[in-house]
Amino acid sequence: MSFFVNKYNPSKIEKKWQNFWEYNKTFSSEIDKSLKKYYVLEMFPYPSGDIHMGHVRNYTLGDLIARYKRANGFNVLHPMGWDSFGLPAENAAISNNVHPKSWTEKNIQNMKSQLKKMGLSYDWSKELSTCNSDYYKHEQKIFIEFYKRGLAYQKETIVNWDPVEQTVLANEQVIDGKGWRSDAVIEKKRMKGWFLKITDFAEELLEDLNSLKNWPEKVKLMQKNWIGKSFGAYIDFYIKETTNKITVFSTRPDTLFGASFIALSPEHQLVNEFKKTYPEINDKLKKINIKNTNEQNLDKIEKIGIKIPVKVSHPFIKDRFLPIFIANFVLIDYGTGAVFGCPAHDQRDFDFAKKYDLEIIEVVSKEKNQKRKGSIESAYTDNGYLINSDFLNGLTVDEAKELSIKKLEEFNLGSRTINYRLKDWGVSRQRYWGCPIPIIYCDNCGIQTVPEKDLPVKLPDKVDFKNSGNPLSNHPNWINVKCPKCFRSAKRETDTFDTFFESSWYFARFTDPNYKNAINKSNANYWLPVDQYIGGIEHAVLHLLYSRFFIKAMNKLDLINLTEPFKSLQTQGMVCHQTYKNNRNEWMFPKDVKRVDDEFFTIDKKIKVFPGRIEKMSKSKKNVIDPNTIVNTFGSDTARFFILSDSPPQRDMEWTDEGVEGASKFLNKVWQLITADNYNDTPYQKIKHNDENDFKIFLATYKAISNVTQAIEDFHFNIAIANIRTLFNELNFYKIKTDNNKIVKKFCISNFLILLNPICPHLCEEAWEILGNKQSISDAPWPKVDLEYLNERHITLPIQINGKRRGEIKIAKSLNKKEVENLALNHQNIVKFLDHTPKKIIYIPNKIINIVI
RNA sequence: GCGAGCGUGGCGGAAUAGGUAGACGCACUGGACUUAAAAUCCAGUGACCAUAUUGGUCGUGGGGGUUCAAGUCCCCCCGCUCGUACCA
């Protein structure tokens, strides 16, 4: 019976075409210099075990682009791999007694099979996994190169210590004073660690943001702020009657004559010396150090300071001496860890001066030569003219900055400088499951790099996770090694790299993942840069800044010929879902909730459930939908279609049952359309239209081709789908009466399928075959518009009176202004408004006519 | 505090360069089919008025302005979201 044949069966056809693509190596990519290349990449996942909706959205976006570009004749590289070092593997080892390696490998297998069920057009022959020594051995070589060229170094600093993960974090990984992954309050700790000289590239990283035309402004701005370039001066303040000085950084050297105190960070070097000389400040200092233990309440902390019983000389005024304070609001990490306070023109200094009764000297006024009237209630930080400032008087702020720096340099009391907020990237982590840092410590020879013949430094397989701290430090066999220089006993570095190290260059490795060196330059030159990179906004300053730095550093070392890795970037929004709580205020899974009219109940309808906010899907709130369930129930084409159809990619989207069902219904209707008639013997060819109906269906088809193409180019995939649906409605409406009609319909349906294919590839392959095609639709070229149809000869022209729409006329485009005016003025609904001659008629050809009365 | 983005029907969202606001969908309503329901198909769907039409008034967070014409441009205000924060 036809009913049986007519049933859309996604699980059957999806499997069929996934096998077809794999068997035919449809998406394998080879270098072909005669073709234009296109490299599309989605941020590779951490193999946590199961894919989630965020992955589905990310990879569906990328797959659409990959298939679209392929149809447009590009040689497409679309790889996938695994960011497989990281803490969860180690946590699993501790709690479940499984080795991180086997845990990770199992997860990769699992996720890979889930991804394959989505029908993504990856070239799996390019797959890589960063925990594999074939990958990380190159990383060790790169690090040694960096070290030899001064781009990697070891130092002791105050680091961000994550007490939960028991490891160091980079500044970028501390968010609101908490670990970016653990959410634990971060402590300050003095430690030795390895750093990469990202600050060497601060200016380039900032400057080259301008060349990234296809990056979101938001991301560029975040990076710009993170780099934090500011112009100013170092200024030396000599301690009274000594040759010791305190150097401060200031962006406002123009306000020097308003200086009334010096403030040091509690961690400033000089503080230790003051402690020795003046032991009475020790107790007070403990109070001030609250900063180190409790950073999250920073903004609530009152500004406090400890006065030191010595003073410094003012650089410009011989007989003026300023008090020194150790103050909790001065940051050790920024500038020199010391500032001069100018209360009249800085709000913090103002508050501080009020509290400790310090002088407030006004040196910038809004109007020339005019002091502020009445008492000063807050700091004035805007532009103006200098007063009370000796040789700076009358100058603008900018002029005064220039002149004061000049004078400081003249007196040898300071210098012009540029300061960056960006700090060097600390890459040492006290973890097992990461890439070992290839360094050996020898008591005689000092720091030695592991010789190339001994690379890779592999992670030892047998490790004990029972003790706290880094298992590598507790591993005697592994840690003990001979010094490569003097051959006496030495010890390995036990820290491993921050996992952002791996993701900083994987996209380059994809161009030849099995090459003997890190990068096959010839392949990299062909494929790179990544033409379209897609991922979450949360990596705006972490991964994306590190990768840009890495490429610039590798370029400098001639390991690659590239200055920016990602030509175009798109950041996708989050996948959200309604939250539910039961009557005990516990979160509930959506699958356990049933909707009855406007109320929600448990699935057995017994207990009432309370709907909460629509929030990002998260395990903790249980508002997660498992992609595997969706794929098994509706098919991956439905999931792909829905996730693209509802919202623009950049915005957050809400996953709803209604939405998925709507998508599923649509695909069923497409199936009905394809199978309603037998097109097997109908030729696929373009013919001329015979009548109005044929004209209309051709017009709808070409309009859709034009609009869908534009929408995809603009990354507006929801609009692309809206236009695909519009064409579908027209196709459904078009009835076959003659053989000619059938040719017309087959032609239009075929074009429709090519447009839909990047979104629902399995259904389209199957439909394409049903239509009688012998080749895969994946090899069908993207259709072109026929302008003869799009340049319609007749249009509907709206008629306005005083800007309000009052009617419309169908006119030929060839009519001139007078003819159109006549038609408009005689329109039956217009006539009644015209009791006198119009004042003015504005006619915008093919757009609108407006009659002003 | 600072920076960025957003605000359009019951909901998600459309609207190249200032030119028919609400495309496309969800939900809803009515009808067909059915013993019935689901599914499917057809029709309607911003609000209000109306002589129910091929009519009118209002309508894109609020107020003002520019213009023949404003969701779109300018000024002021309100709200929400995200980022960032003692950066000297």
Side-chain angles (χ1 to χ4, degrees), chain A residues 43 59 142 167 200 255 315 380 450 494 561 620 681 766:
Chain A
M43 290 181 185
Y59 305 150
I142 292 170
T167 191
D200 269 13
T255 63
Y380 176 77
V450 174
T494 57
N561 306 318
S620 62
D681 301 324
E766 184 71 16

Side-chain angles (χ1 to χ4, degrees), chain A residues 250-345:
Chain A
S250 175
T251 56
R252 293 297 303 273
D254 54 305
T255 63
L256 253 174
F257 285 95
S260 58
F261 65 96
I262 296 290
L264 301 177
S265 161
E267 291 120 334
H268 195 278
Q269 303 168 343
L270 271 177
V271 171
N272 274 331
E273 285 168 42
F274 286 135
K275 274 202 260 185
K276 283 176 210 153
T277 326
Y278 311 103
E280 67 270 22
I281 63 173
N282 271 322
D283 284 346
K284 293 182 190 166
L285 259 175
K286 277 181 191 145
K287 217 168 126 190
I288 225 174
N289 264 337
I290 42 174
K291 182 178 190 284
N292 289 355
T293 51
N294 191 355
E295 209 162 346
Q296 85 236 62
N297 294 323
L298 217 58
D299 45 353
K300 288 166 202 146
I301 291 171
E302 198 191 351
K303 290 172 181 52
I304 49 173
I306 300 162
K307 200 169 171 180
I308 307 294
V310 285
K311 291 196 170 188
V312 293
S313 321
H314 191 282
F316 291 150
I317 310 168
K318 268 203 173 126
D319 51 356
R320 193 191 285 175
F321 300 97
L322 312 176
I324 307 170
F325 286 84
I326 300 168
N328 65 343
F329 68 88
V330 182
L331 302 170
I332 186 65
D333 282 341
Y334 188 76
T336 61
V339 300
F340 80 78
C342 175
H345 305 289

Side-chain angles (χ1 to χ4, degrees), chain A residues 80 103 106 181 288 332 336 453 573 708 727 768 770 798 823:
Chain A
M80 180 44 80
W103 184 83
K106 200 178 148 222
R181 211 205 303 259
I288 225 174
I332 186 65
T336 61
K453 66 174 173 56
V708 170
L727 173 57
W768 192 250
I770 290 170
L823 283 171

Side-chain angles (χ1 to χ4, degrees), chain A residues 393-453:
Chain A
N393 281 337
L395 299 180
T396 64
V397 166
D398 285 343
E399 290 163 349
K401 278 181 188 171
E402 281 300 308
L403 188 57
S404 61
I405 293 172
K406 233 172 158 182
K407 286 279 181 192
L408 285 167
E409 287 179 333
E410 207 173 284
F411 299 152
N412 206 20
L413 286 171
S415 57
R416 182 186 304 278
T417 187
I418 290 167
N419 190 56
Y420 296 93
R421 184 181 169 276
L422 183 70
K423 295 285 142 213
D424 277 339
W425 173 18
V427 292
S428 292
R429 298 290 181 273
Q430 293 68 41
R431 311 299 334 170
Y432 165 73
W433 195 234
C435 172
I437 300 178
I439 289 290
I440 292 167
Y441 299 101
C442 172
D443 287 343
N444 305 299
C445 312
I447 294 172
Q448 296 297 317
T449 55
V450 174
E452 178 142 6
K453 66 174 173 56

Side-chain angles (χ1 to χ4, degrees), chain A residues 478-494:
Chain A
W478 188 81
I479 202 171
N480 291 317
V481 69
K482 293 272 178 274
C483 170
K485 204 171 167 189
C486 70
F487 304 108
R488 280 186 261 189
S489 301
K491 288 200 187 307
R492 284 192 193 282
E493 168 66 80
T494 57

Side-chain angles (χ1 to χ4, degrees), chain A residues 92-119:
Chain A
I94 294 162
S95 52
N96 304 332
N97 202 27
V98 284
H99 196 278
K101 190 172 188 173
S102 47
W103 184 83
T104 302
E105 278 168 1
K106 200 178 148 222
N107 285 348
I108 289 175
Q109 274 194 355
N110 211 18
M111 282 176 82
K112 190 172 171 182
S113 81
Q114 292 171 6
L115 289 185
K116 286 204 165 177
K117 278 190 183 169
M118 283 182 62

